[in-house]
Amino acid sequence: EENQQSVKLVAFGEQAWSGSGASLAAAVSGVLATDLVLATLHTKGTEPSYLVSAVASDTDEITFTLDAANTSDDAVVTYAVLRAV
């Protein structure tokens, strides 16, 4: 049995890393905590790391988490936010 549902694109873009940590809360207008976030590293940071999660953590916010701190603040995440309709 397939689990299919229709979705609409709510937001998409790129987020430059800041704050030198392993997680980053980014303001993204229109996002709800129930939305699905698809994300990937567009630009890897100087410190070896990979993207662990990208979660619509609150209204108008996505939290991205790396497996290690990006202290050089040079990683860039590309994301798309989907909402069931």
Side-chain angles (χ1 to χ4, degrees):
E1 182 176 309
E2 293 183 31
N3 183 9
Q4 297 179 353
Q5 60 187 72
S6 297
V7 296
K8 70 175 183 174
L9 182 64
V10 175
F12 67 94
E14 292 186 343
Q15 176 65 49
W17 208 263
S18 62
S20 301
S23 66
L24 172 66
V28 181
S29 181
V31 173
L32 301 176
T34 54
D35 290 340
L36 174 65
V37 180
L38 306 175
T40 189
L41 282 175
H42 179 264
T43 304
K44 295 192 317 185
T46 301
E47 297 78 27
S49 63
Y50 60 89
L51 187 63
V52 174
S53 65
V55 178
S57 52
D58 203 355
T59 300
D60 297 329
E61 184 177 274
I62 300 173
T63 299
F64 301 103
T65 304
L66 301 174
D67 72 319
N70 181 228
T71 56
S72 58
D73 284 341
D74 56 354
V76 177
V77 178
T78 299
Y79 64 86
V81 180
L82 305 176
R83 181 173 300 148
V85 292

